[in-house]
Structures are given as structure tokens and as C-alpha cells.
Amino acid sequence: MPADVHNSPAGSPADSPGVPAAVAALAALETEPGVAKPDPILVADKVSRTFGGLVAVDVDHFEVQRGTITALIGPNGAGKTTFFNLLTGFDRADSGTRTFNGRSLKRISAAKVARMGMVRTFQLTKVLSKLTVLENMRLGAPKQSGERFWVGPFRFLWDGQEKENTERARELLARFKLDAKESDFAGELSGGQRKLLEMARSLMVEPELVMLDEPMAGVNPALKQSLLDHVRSLRDEGRTVLFVEHDMDMVRDISDWVVVMAQGRIIAEGPPDTVMADRRVIDAYLGAHHDTDITELDEETIASEAEAEIAAERLDEGREQA
Amino acid sequence: MDLLTTPLHDMFGPVTLSYVFLAMGLNIHYGYTGLLNFGQAAFAAVGAYTLAVSVASFDIPFVLAILLGVLAAVLLGLLMGIPTLRLRADYLAIVTIAVAESCRLIFSTQWKSHFHARDGVRGFVGGFRDLNPLPDYEGRVLSYNRNDLWVMIVGWALVALVCLLVWLLMRSPWGRVLKGIREDENAVRSLGKNVYSYKMQALVFGGVIGAFGGFIGALGNASVVPDDYNTDVTFVALTMLILGGAARVMSPVVGAMLFWGLFSFMGVLLDDVMSSNQITMIRWILVGVALMLLMIFRPQGIFGDKKELALDAR
Ligand SMILES: Nc1ncnc2c1ncn2[C@@H]1O[C@H](COP(=O)(O)OP(=O)(O)OP(=O)(O)O)[C@@H](O)[C@H]1O
Ligand SMILES: [Mg+2]
């Protein structure tokens, strides 16, 4: 449980106050793909997966530092979701090994992986439509004695636990601004609300490592801010967060470490600022103007730059032909 | 007068009862867990044959024979579930249909000294009837002989018991997991639940309830014949369930009673004008028409919630 992975903010005197030791330890690392972390919670080695002829994932080495927020970014189709599936046991890799907390995940079912403390959400949300929001949440609670067939009929045997779970569910729902919806069917929620519900539900499992696949997609700006705080608070509770996201503001804002995937491989990793300045990352994913706001003026300059480039290329081609 | 009393008589009779159990089992499978079991007849057949053969061929006491029947249904559930429940939902549907037909063929062609082929097994109801404290019943409206009455009293008491058990289970965390699996099994898996095990429990539990349908049918007829377990038995039970509205505790009960009531009503109504062959055909045609009307005007069934149904479209 997260209790024993608590990071004291203390660290060495040189550390700035409030930075957890686990995060501070990242600063000393090389920024090369597959770099080893001082205290990895999750390690994947030589994990690959092909669909027919397409190599969707081919990761040489990947580690997640315990107690940090790690972002996994990359262009559409880079293999991020597939990698999530492989890590959590929802899909089987063609080859490779994975360990979580030092334990091998070989042949371990997705459900067992979740019980071990590694819980994921889905890019395409999976809420249980015909269960109420509150029931969705309660389902997430671990080790429920009432989930056994012989115990189920006898309410007094699971009543107490159910009350505790309900209380915890309500707290989480309140944090995610879903408390007014608790008795609605989950199928009645909007797309963004479903994202929130799924994230809240995954926290009911009390995971050590939370894996979020595009948690911010479709969530409104005001709520995004509070979600960011919430993700940070997960880290402060001692949990580890690994998330996929295309919202670069969020990535820059909360991640301690960024891993970039393209065409199934990890092409770069490092602290957010370093990675976003990396030439390969800009070429493969961000684009040259990722950190400027696109105003009309900018658009003009971009357009003229592009024209200039095209012209230059034509010139090159012309020379080659000649 | 017959036009009303005969259907009323049939609505509570042993045949309806046995369908109530089949439909209650299917409600666990399909209504709550989303498992497509098209071989519910096999559970009834295996239960009935185990009971009948245990008593008739091996002189096993009645109560023990019932327990053996339950055990046989559990084994059948495991047999169907182990190879299919990890696969996509359609595989279970195919396998269950195949298993049901295989069972029927085995009972009608193998071990003739015990199963007696198409003649079926007889001479096993003594132990049950000996327990009967009732006289024949001659009411002003309905009459039942004491054997039927005994089956009915025991049967309906069991129905009440099963309904209570299902209600208790479905409001429990166990039932919540099943409903979760029905909606999206990967979501449930991601929360750390062993989906395979829950599906197996649901399949076996619903199957055992189905086996009780087999017991009741066998005791009501005082015989067990392979043709009583055709595939259409399963589909009739499914129709009853959908008529009542899936995933409601009482819907299989009311669905089955209504179905047999209407079925029997049509039989009496057409009795003077047609031969019995024609009646059978016309009845099935009308069942089809009624089912279509139901799907068009009340797709959620009698007890279902229209709101829930609308969620599927989102
Ligand atoms: N089940 C599948 N069968 C065949 N190809 C697949 C399957 N799942 C993924 N792929 C392919 O693998 C590649 C990686 O897909 P993946 O969903 O992992 O991308 P992603 O990085 O999550 O992209 P996005 O940012 O758009 O979510 C894609 O080219 C996709 O077409
Ligand atoms: Mg994806």
C-alpha cells in the first residue's frame, strides 16, 4: 500500500523545500531513452507487440520512478495505448518482461495486476452504463467480502464495509464534482463526466500506480485545473502516476518526467523542459511552433516560412535533377 | 367457462413451474451477467435424468438423488464454462447449444438399460409422493389431483425461496460485479475482479436453478423423456424472460405464467375449430407475432425500465 512508499519532502539540504526526494532524484539522471531510475516501481524490458506487419510497440527499456508523475507522450498511433495494454496485462506482448514492485508480471492476469496495485483507465471510457454513479464507484473498492457468493445474501456480513466504501466513494465524487450525480445511471453522464468517473473509480482501488490514458480529453478548463491539483495530491499521498496526454500544458505543468514515444519506440525522455526542447521530439510530435500561441500574425509567419521551405526544397530538387 | 379456468389452471401447474425455474436461471445468465446460454434445456435434462436414473436404476433415496442432480448441473456448468468463458460472448452461445443437443442425443441413444431411449425413465416419483400429506383438491373453480398439487406446493415454495435468494444476491456486492460484467467486463477487470470466476459462478448458479426446473418437470410428468429437452425449450424460457423484462427478480415468474396462460387460452379458444396439429402451429405463429409486438411497443418487457434501455443507444 502507498503508506510505505511515502516520500518525505525533506531530502538533502540542497533540495528546494516541498520537492519530494523521489522527484529530486530524477534531476541527476541522464536524459537518454530507457535510462534506469534510482527507485523504479515499474520496469519493462524489450517489450514488443506487432499487429500483422505493423510494429505497434517495440520498447527497449522503460522505467517509472516511484512517487513521481510521469507523462507518456507521442503522436497519434505511436503505440501509447497499446503499451498501456501490454503493461497492465490487457494485451499480451510478443516478447519482453515486465516487473512491478520487483515482481514479475509474466502470465499475470489483468485483474491480478490491478489487485497488485497497478490500475489503469481507458482512453475510450468504460463506465458501466446501467449502474448508478455510486455503484460504479463502490465496485472499485478492493477486498469486499460481500463479493463472495456465500457471503452476498447476508447483508449484515458486508454492511459495515459497504458503508465505509460508500463514504470514501462520496468523498472522491465530491473531489471530482460528481457528487450531485451519484444516483444517476453512469450511462446518462456526458463524455467528460465519464472520464472523471472513470478516474475517480480507479482511485477506489487504492492503487500504488495509477495509469491514466488521456485523463483530460474532453474535460473543461476550470475542472482541468482542479484535476491537476488532484493528480499532484495523488503524488503527495505517495502514489505514482503515469499518464498519456496530448495536452502539453498539462504535461508541462505537472509531470516530473516525460517519456516520448514515436512509432512504437521510446525516442526521448527527461524533465519536461529538456524534452520539449529536444529536436527529435519537436520533429516527431510537437511541431516547430508548439509553444507559441497561434494568432493571425503568427499564422502569417508560419505560412510564409512554410512557403519559403517549399521553395527551398524545389530549388534543391531542381539542383539534383540538373 | 373453460376459456378462463383452463388457462388459470395451467398458469400454476407443474409445466409452468418448470419453465419458471428455467427462466429464473436464464435471468441470472443473461439478465444479470449478460451470458448467452442457449442450452438451458441441458441443465434441466441433466438434473432430471440424474434424479430419475439414480432412483429408478440405483434405488438411491429421493433427497440424495436431488443432491446428485444438483451436483450434475454444477459439473455441466463447469464443462460448458471452462473452455468458453475466457472467449468472446458468442462462443458460449454456440457451445451451449451444442452441449444441449449432445445431451439430448446421449439420453435418447446411449445406455438404453438406464435411459430407455425414447421411452424415457419412469418409476422414480415414489419417494417424492410418499412425502405428500395432501388429499385431492376439488375447488369451485380449479381442481388438481393430489400429485400435481404436491408438486405445485413444493415447487412454488421453492420459487419463492429462489426469488428471495436472487433478490438478496443481486443487491449485494456479488450481484454488483455480475451487473458490471454485463455492462463491460474489461472495466470490471481493470478494477481487479476475477471476471472469469464470476462468470463461472453465474453460469453454475443459473444452471442449478435450471436443474430444479428439470426436477419439477420430471416429478410433474412422473417420467423423463428426451424430447422434453429440445432446444426450443430454452428459447421458450428466454421468450418468457424477455416478456417479463430481464434483470428483474420477478420477471421470469410473471413472464412464464403469462406465457403459459396465453398459450393455454389460445389452445382452448381454437379447440372447436381446428385439429390439434393446426392449433400447435397457430399457437407458435401467434407467439412470434406477440413477441414482435412486444419488441415494438414494450421492448423493456413488463417490468423493465424504458430509461435503462435508452442508455444502450448512447
Ligand atoms: N487491436 C489492434 N489491431 C490492429 N492494430 C492495432 C490494434 N491496436 C492498435 N493498433 C495499431 O497500433 C498502433 C498504435 O496504436 P495505439 O492505440 O497504441 O496508439 P496511441 O499512441 O495510443 O495513439 P493515440 O494518441 O491516437 O491514442 C496504431 O497504428 C494502431 O493502428
Ligand atoms: Mg491512445
Side-chain angles (χ1 to χ4, degrees):
Chain A
M1 282 294 103
D4 56 290
V5 294
H6 245 289
N7 298 289
S8 63
S12 63
D15 287 345
S16 53
V19 176
V23 176
L26 292 174
L29 297 181
E30 299 275 332
T31 57
E32 64 188 31
V35 63
K37 311 288 183 310
D39 180 19
I41 185 170
L42 178 67
V43 179
D45 197 53
K46 306 233 166 4
V47 170
S48 71
R49 176 73 164 104
T50 53
F51 295 107
L54 177 85
V55 183
V57 168
D58 183 13
V59 168
D60 205 39
H61 194 78
F62 173 73
E63 295 190 3
V64 177
Q65 166 81 343
R66 187 189 309 277
T68 63
I69 301 174
T70 304
L72 181 61
I73 63 173
N76 295 123
K80 305 180 296 293
T81 299
T82 309
F83 193 41
F84 258 38
N85 291 344
L86 297 174
L87 289 173
T88 49
F90 276 87
D91 190 5
R92 197 171 296 176
D94 301 332
S95 64
T97 57
R98 302 162 290 139
T99 59
F100 176 68
N101 265 336
R103 288 174 65 188
S104 168
L105 295 179
K106 196 175 174 131
R107 292 187 192 285
I108 291 192
S109 72
K112 183 80 200 302
V113 168
R115 284 200 295 278
M116 286 166 71
M118 180 169 158
V119 176
R120 59 90 55 95
T121 64
F122 296 89
Q123 180 172 8
L124 300 172
T125 39
K126 295 186 185 297
V127 296
L128 309 166
S129 305
K130 287 181 202 166
L131 266 58
T132 64
V133 168
L134 192 58
E135 284 283 83
N136 263 271
M137 293 293 287
R138 285 181 182 136
L139 184 66
K143 296 189 188 119
Q144 299 186 49
S145 54
E147 285 181 353
R148 266 173 285 157
F149 180 81
W150 302 108
V151 179
F154 309 105
R155 189 174 196 153
F156 62 91
L157 291 176
W158 47 264
D159 219 13
Q161 204 182 16
E162 184 90 342
K163 282 209 183 79
E164 284 167 25
N165 290 338
T166 306
E167 213 170 283
R168 213 155 56 79
R170 291 213 165 104
E171 273 168 30
L172 279 169
L173 285 177
R175 278 207 259 174
F176 285 83
K177 306 273 186 295
L178 285 171
D179 40 349
K181 296 270 176 192
E182 71 165 46
S183 42
D184 289 9
F185 286 122
E188 294 175 276
L189 297 181
S190 74
Q193 288 167 334
R194 288 174 196 214
K195 275 258 128 142
L196 296 175
L197 173 59
E198 207 191 359
M199 187 166 162
R201 191 179 61 192
S202 73
L203 297 179
M204 282 298 288
V205 192
E206 302 200 50
E208 242 179 282
L209 171 62
V210 196
M211 299 174 57
L212 307 167
D213 201 343
E214 302 200 13
M216 298 292 166
V219 175
N220 67 37
L223 202 46
K224 257 184 205 170
Q225 268 313 312
S226 72
L227 274 189
L228 290 185
D229 292 339
H230 194 59
V231 172
R232 271 196 212 99
S233 76
L234 289 178
R235 181 187 60 192
D236 297 340
E237 287 166 19
R239 297 183 211 279
T240 311
V241 181
L242 174 65
F243 70 99
V244 171
E245 189 52 69
H246 287 299
D247 180 340
M248 280 307 116
D249 291 332
M250 172 181 179
V251 173
R252 215 188 312 259
D253 229 17
I254 63 164
S255 50
D256 305 313
W257 194 259
V258 180
V259 178
V260 189
M261 268 181 97
Q263 293 171 350
R265 310 183 65 90
I266 293 178
I267 58 163
E269 62 176 289
D273 294 336
T274 320
V275 164
M276 286 185 195
D278 189 316
R279 190 73 230 166
R280 282 166 304 180
V281 180
I282 293 170
D283 287 347
Y285 180 51
L286 297 169
H289 298 276
H290 67 96
D291 47 5
T292 47
D293 285 332
I294 297 182
T295 59
E296 269 178 49
L297 196 79
D298 289 334
E299 271 173 24
E300 271 172 30
T301 50
I302 293 171
S304 58
E305 269 177 35
E307 274 167 22
E309 260 177 48
I310 292 167
E313 265 171 32
R314 285 219 187 98
L315 211 65
D316 283 347
E317 276 171 21
R319 278 201 199 113
E320 271 163 30
Q321 277 167 4
Chain B
M1 200 58 196
D2 273 359
L3 212 53
L4 290 179
T5 52
T6 309
L8 202 61
H9 179 276
D10 291 351
M11 271 168 90
F12 295 95
V15 179
T16 306
L17 252 177
S18 105
Y19 274 103
V20 168
F21 282 101
L22 292 182
M24 282 195 299
L26 286 173
N27 198 22
I28 305 293
H29 295 153
Y30 176 69
Y32 290 106
T33 324
L35 297 175
L36 271 179
N37 168 17
F38 287 150
Q40 186 70 337
F43 286 101
V46 164
Y49 267 95
T50 309
L51 166 67
V53 171
S54 302
V55 175
S57 299
F58 301 102
D59 274 336
I60 290 171
F62 173 74
V63 176
L64 191 61
I66 291 279
L67 288 180
L68 286 178
V70 169
L71 188 70
V74 171
L75 292 178
L76 182 69
L78 295 177
L79 181 80
M80 283 180 179
I82 286 171
T84 52
L85 289 181
R86 284 191 205 278
L87 305 174
R88 254 191 8 230
D90 356 10
Y91 290 90
L92 180 71
I94 297 165
V95 166
T96 46
I97 253 191
V99 169
E101 279 302 278
S102 312
C103 282
R104 197 171 58 87
L105 286 174
I106 289 170
F107 290 132
S108 48
T109 58
Q110 303 298 308
W111 295 294
K112 291 201 169 126
S113 55
H114 296 309
F115 294 152
H116 305 287
R118 302 187 76 86
D119 295 339
V121 190
R122 281 162 209 285
F124 58 90
V125 287
F128 179 69
R129 289 185 176 170
D130 286 346
L131 301 170
N132 187 356
L134 304 167
D136 285 345
Y137 175 73
E138 289 267 359
R140 265 193 300 161
V141 185
L142 298 175
S143 307
Y144 294 97
N145 70 47
R146 63 188 291 263
N147 290 331
D148 278 355
L149 205 59
W150 183 225
V151 173
M152 282 161 58
I153 285 185
V154 173
W156 285 109
L158 275 172
V159 169
L161 221 62
V162 173
C163 280
L164 179 70
L165 182 63
V166 171
W167 179 73
L168 288 172
L169 276 168
M170 289 311 160
R171 65 165 195 179
S172 81
W174 186 80
R176 184 162 60 217
V177 179
L178 296 198
K179 291 179 223 166
I181 291 171
R182 178 190 65 199
E183 300 300 312
D184 190 324
E185 59 176 78
N186 276 332
V188 177
R189 220 169 251 139
S190 78
L191 298 172
K193 319 289 173 192
N194 187 343
V195 168
Y196 179 69
S197 156
Y198 281 99
K199 282 198 210 170
M200 189 64 89
Q201 292 171 40
L203 184 64
V204 168
F205 180 50
V208 168
I209 297 177
F212 274 88
F215 300 150
I216 295 291
L219 295 170
N221 292 335
S223 73
V224 176
V225 187
D227 287 346
D228 285 349
Y229 307 101
N230 279 328
T231 325
D232 54 4
V233 170
T234 304
F235 288 105
V236 170
L238 259 178
T239 307
M240 292 166 168
L241 174 63
I242 289 168
L243 177 66
R248 292 286 183 277
V249 173
M250 289 304 288
S251 61
V253 181
V254 173
M257 289 174 72
L258 213 64
F259 186 99
W260 270 121
L262 288 173
F263 210 65
S264 156
F265 176 79
M266 285 187 280
V268 186
L269 190 70
L270 301 173
D271 195 29
D272 298 333
V273 266
M274 298 179 189
S275 73
S276 67
N277 260 346
Q278 283 173 314
I279 291 178
T280 315
M281 283 207 297
I282 291 280
R283 283 208 286 199
W284 284 116
I285 291 169
L286 290 180
V287 165
V289 173
L291 206 58
M292 285 200 300
L293 292 176
L294 183 74
M295 286 297 113
I296 293 166
F297 293 108
R298 205 175 163 80
Q300 72 273 36
I302 296 167
F303 288 120
D305 183 350
K306 187 104 186 211
K307 195 169 137 199
E308 273 183 40
L309 207 72
L311 293 176
D312 287 337
R314 294 202 54 181

